Structure formats: C-alpha cells, structure tokens
Amino acid sequence: MTASPPLVVSENLTKFFPLPKGRKVHAVDGVDLTIHEREIVGLVGESGSGKTTFGKTLIGLLAKTSGTVTYRGKTLPQQYEAADFRRQAKVMQMIFQDPYSSLNPRMTVGEIVGEGLKLHSDLSASDLRDRVASWLSRVGLEPDYMSRYPHEFSGGQRQRIGIARALILEPEFVVCDEPISALDVSVQAQVVNLLEELKASMGLTLLFIAHDLSMVRYISDRMAVMYLGAMAEIGPAQDVFFEPKHPYTQILIASNPEPDPNLERSRKSTTITGEIPSPVDIGPGCRFAARCPHVMEQCRVQTPLLLPLAGQPDRQVACHLFT
Amino acid sequence: MTAPAPPAKQPPLLTVENLQVEFETYGGTVQAVRGVSFSVEAGKTLAIVGESGCGKSVTVQALMGLVPMPPGRLKSGTAELRGRNILGTSQIDGLDFRGREIGMIFQDPMTSLNPTMTIGRQIAETLEVHLGWSRKKAFARAIELLDMARIPEAAQRAKQYPFEFSGGMLQRAMIAMAIACEPAILIADEPTTALDVTIQAQVLDLLGDLQREHGTAIILITHDLGVVARMADEVAVMYAGQIVERGSVDDIFYRPAHPYTVGLRAAMPSNNPDAEHRLLPIEGSPPDLFSPPAGCAYAARCPHAMRICSTHEPAPFVVGADHYGKCWLHHEKAAGGASMIAAAAAPPEKKS
C-alpha cells in the first residue's frame, strides 16, 4: 500500500475562522497527512473535530490560513482563483454529505450531472447526453432519469446522482464527506460497494470522511483520527480499529456499539465524561488532556507531535505516552 | 388503585394489539402502520428496529396521541396500560397519562424543547401539571433530576436556556424531564441518532442505570443494530408498517427468523476479523404504502421469495419461545426454508 507514491500531501495545514474581538476558531490546526495514490484514507472524529473543514481546505473549497497542500509534488495555491478551480476540478472532486441540500432543486438530474463536463470539455450536446446517460447507469440509475428533478428521488438515489456528478470528469482524487450518513443501512451498503467498485475501475484515491467507525474500518486502507482540529492517530485501518493507541481513539472505538449482544454484554463501560471542548483560542498542551484518563503533567503544557510508533513506522500517534 | 399481587409471571405493563394507522393525503391513503402487536414488561427494554418510513415512530406516536388527526386516523387496534385503554385518548381516570405514566424522549432535543423557557422551568412544569406541586418544590426537584441525568452544576444549569446546552446535555435534560414523574414506561425515539458515539455511550449508560434503579420499561426506537445489541432485551423488527420478526435480542442476532433481519445484518460490516464479509446491500426499496402488496411486503427484495410470497401475506410463524417470524419459509410445506434463513445469516463470502 505504502509502495504507491504520495498523491496529496498536507503539511501543517491550518484553517482558522475569525470571531469578533480577535478571537479565532481553530477548526484545523497544523494537520500533516499524506494520501498515497489509489488509497482510501478514512477520516473519523466527533462533530466539531474539523473533519469536513480539513476536507474542504484540502481541495481548495476553503482558503488556507497557513500550511501547504501539494498534489503530485506541486504546491497548490493558498486561495483558489477561478482559474485554479477550473484546473483542479478535473483532478479533484467532492461528494457531499447531504444529498438533499447539495443538489440544485431547479436543475434536472441531467443538468446537474453534466454541468461539469459542459464547462470542462467541448463535447457536442448529444455526446454530452450519452456521457451523462452512461454515468447514470454506471451508478445504478436509469439513463432516462436525466430529465427528472432531484425531489423525485430517494436519499440513496440522490447520493448516486452526487457521485455521478463528482466522477463524470474522471478525477483522480475525491473527498467523500459523510457520503452515507444520511442513508439507511441497506442503502449505505449499496453506496459503499459502488464507491469500492469505482475506486477499483477508475484507480481513484479517496479521503472518506465519516463518523461511522465500523464502516470506515471496512472501506479504508488507512484510518486517521481527528480531535479538535488536530490529528490524534494515523495508521492501517485494521490496526487502528483493533489496537488503538491514542487514548482518544481507544475511547472512540470502545464507545462504538457492536451489533453483537454477547460482545456488548461482556464489554465494560468505558464512557468518558465531558464533551469535546470549544475550538476557540486553544492554548498549548494536548487537546485531549482535559478528558484523558491517562493525563500527565506534560500533557497540559506541551503539545504532542504526531510521531511514528517505535517499531511501527506506518503508525503515527500524537500522545506523550508514546514518546 | 392498588394492583392485585402479581402471579409468578408478571403481566405486561403495556399491550398493543393490531394497531393500524393511516394518513389521508392528496395522493391517497398511506397505510403507515398495518397491524402491529407487542407488549412491554416492567424493567425490560423493547427495541423497535427498522429503516426510515417503516412506521416505527408512528407506532409510538399513535400510543401517545401525537399523530395529528386528521390527516392521521386510527383504523383499528387496542392499547392497554395495566389493562386500561390508552388509545385515542390522553387520559386514564381523568388524568393525562402522558408524561405521568409514559414519558417520551424525542430524537432531536434542539427542536423538542421550548427555546424561551429555562431548562429547569420546563422540567418543573411537568411536575406542576401532573402532580400539582408548587413552583418552588418542582424547581428544586428539577435540579435533582438534572443531577441524576449527570448534568454538572445542575443548580446553575437549571437556570439556563436550551441554546446554552450542547446536544448531549440537551438529550440528558430531556431524559430528566421524561423521568420527572417516574413513569412506568419510557419511550425513546432515536434518542442518540443526533449524537456522537462517545456522547451516545453516555446517554445509553444513563438510560440503563435509570432503568435498573427504577424498574422502568423502555421502548427504544432505533435503526442502529449496535444500539439494539447494547440495550435491548426484546426486539421487534419492523418493515413496511408491520413487525416482521419479534424475539429476544439473542434470537434476533443469533437465530434470525426473517430474511429482512438477515439482510440488515449482512449490509453492515461485522468488525469480526474472522468473519469479514463483503457488504450485501438489500437491493430495491420498500413498497409503496399507498397500495401495499397483497403478499409479503418484503417479497420483492427477498432473495428467497417463493410464488406464494407475492400473493398471500404470511402469518407470524412461531419459531421458538416468544420468537416469531412473519415469513412463509417457516411453513411446513417450504421444506428446508428455515435452514435457508440460517445459512444466509452466516454470509460465507469473504471480502476480497
């Protein structure tokens, strides 16, 4: 897996949102992440941990406060101009969380799916229609749905429309922001299988943002855990899920209810008290220190760095317990 | 009123028989709940599981008189709390049973609480209305209840408004409100769906502890099989307005008796390294409840469907103690049908 070259690299990527009186929301604060070609990286964390902001900043939908993103070794602009979007749209795309609000209700499915292609190619109207039709059938929809409007479709069907819209330009890298959270269990499996198939047939690289830990473990090659704007742990998905190292990851995985009554009965409660703190004007020290069961003196003053584990270079943890 | 001394087997607290709820719309009549029967015992948790639109919320809303009528209509059915009718009324012996004998927790705490009242007053109001307590006494009790729901600094928090609470704390405040009158039954409609897993675990632990301390019966509505495995004693699986399988939590997970139950499980990752399987989606979509199919509602999506399935509705076949599956495969003429479900419950195909 790690043999493939890096495709997208974020270094010290930071996104702050300004508040009145000079205060700042530290939504994403110095995140390093390397995504290799043809890899699925799953990004998990609680709401407010900065997952979505990271994904949007990574592909340029939000301007960076500081830090860099390189794509195939080339540094991408700090803030995208219209020309940057035009250039990048062909290589990077995003699938959005809410299949209800992310499709324009006044456009037909054909217009929504074909819009990117219309802007980025000089296909004739009939070729464009053929391409839209073939993409609709590729994501499991009838080609003659083209003339219908989004409200005529179920959540799962809309998510497929969103997938066809994102993939019709045949990008290399796709950020999937909670693509299955709004869907029923039986439909989630349809969408996940579709993404896996398209990944295999198109050689896609995916950043899969979700809060469903089981599904992220299932689909991802590597799993990254975010907490309050910073990366807590990165590693092979199976290892992170079954042998979490960071105390936060341990609590997150232990809180994930398993569909297995015997397992649930044997499991002791590991709930933590408290909730994710406010990301406004974060001081030094570990972000998890206030809730961490293993907190030490050092944790409150010194910010832990994301470092490889001894003997496991493919796993990185940001915790003083391991340094 | 004092109940007669219970015999060896405790009678159920709540018994629902053949509940049918319809909605009149411009497009026709939606048969949202099509003959649901279940019972709940004190101190036990019944989970009602199903996907969106299966009628699980409408079922409990009908019990609580929360279905707007019209367009809603109770077509038939009975519901008895300790032997007294609660369907189509909000009162038992001239007193509102809602909030007093049956408490309810809603999915979205942000929109279910009054934004213009402090949290403490909203909880106190319950006690004033149902038990006739004074404002002062009720507010003091509200603080105790918030403390029981593990809200830190309850005395200060009681004076705050909902916008000052986080989602997890609002849900705990709603639990405090629902248990204020020490109801015999607590209905929780997707109580943790809007919450993160760590906060979900806190809320589920709280519900479990309250149940152990007070012997409350819980009806838990959820679509999350993980939450079912953690919380439930009994499970009812709903599909297209009907309970298609009912049994103990172990029956449902280890001895499923309906292809839909099997399908739901196979559509999820297992998290068991030895049993990793490719996700098996349930193809198709649930039937249109404007005109439900004549036979089994699941037949069109069922991998084991037989000819009879699309023409005749199956009866609930008893497959074990308090365990039934509404599926023709359990009929004696469907030779080996039950073993087909069992085989499907252990998906052999490994993930590539």
Side-chain angles (χ1 to χ4, degrees), chain A residues 46-47 184-186 189-190 193 214 217-218 241 257-262 264-265 267 269 271-272 274-275, chain B residues 51-52 166 169 172 196 198-202 205 226 229-230 250 253-254 271 276-279 281-282 351:
Chain A
E46 290 172 274
S47 33
D184 272 322
V185 174
S186 64
Q190 295 172 13
N193 284 353
S214 308
R217 180 203 60 78
Y218 174 82
F241 190 90
E258 295 283 346
D260 184 339
N262 282 336
E264 281 297 329
R265 277 190 282 261
R267 204 144 90 158
S269 172
T271 50
I272 42 167
E275 295 172 21
Chain B
E51 297 183 285
S52 27
S166 69
M169 285 212 299
R172 275 178 282 172
D196 282 310
T198 55
I199 311 301
Q200 167 170 285
Q202 294 171 4
D205 277 2
R230 175 169 290 192
D250 285 358
F253 282 87
Y254 304 128
N271 289 340
E276 184 79 296
H277 62 88
R278 196 176 145 72
L279 302 185
I282 304 175
K351 191 195 178 192

Side-chain angles (χ1 to χ4, degrees), chain A residues 43 51-52 96-100 155 159 176-185 187-188 191-192 208-213 215-216, chain B residues 52 107 193 223:
Chain A
L43 181 58
K51 310 183 292 285
T52 298
F96 295 94
Q97 170 170 10
D98 183 352
Y100 292 88
Q159 201 52 283
C176 309
D177 185 15
E178 307 249 15
I180 53 168
S181 306
L183 307 177
D184 272 322
V185 174
V187 182
Q188 285 185 356
V191 172
V192 165
F208 189 89
I209 302 173
H211 60 254
D212 181 338
L213 297 159
M215 205 54 109
V216 168
Chain B
S52 27
Q107 173 172 173
T193 305
H223 65 274

Side-chain angles (χ1 to χ4, degrees), chain B residues 16-23 29-38 55 58-60 62-63 67 69 71-79 87-88 238 240-242 292 313 326:
Chain B
V16 178
E17 291 287 345
N18 192 30
L19 181 68
Q20 299 191 31
V21 185
E22 297 178 336
F23 289 91
T29 307
V30 184
Q31 301 179 31
V33 178
R34 305 189 296 137
V36 161
S37 305
F38 62 86
V58 175
T59 298
V60 292
L63 298 180
V67 172
M69 299 187 191
R73 186 170 62 217
L74 285 170
K75 195 178 168 196
S76 75
T78 59
L87 209 56
M238 275 190 82
Q242 298 179 323
E313 193 179 312
K326 213 167 146 51

Side-chain angles (χ1 to χ4, degrees), chain A residues 236-253:
Chain A
Q238 306 298 326
D239 297 357
V240 172
F241 190 90
F242 292 114
E243 287 168 57
K245 296 290 182 195
H246 194 288
Y248 175 64
T249 319
Q250 291 177 349
I251 286 162
L252 199 61
I253 306 265

Side-chain angles (χ1 to χ4, degrees), chain B residues 143 146-147 150-160 165:
Chain B
I143 294 170
L146 284 173
D147 193 51
R150 298 187 201 129
I151 298 224
E153 291 154 6
Q156 277 89 56
R157 285 296 191 168
K159 293 178 199 143
Q160 292 184 332
F165 277 48

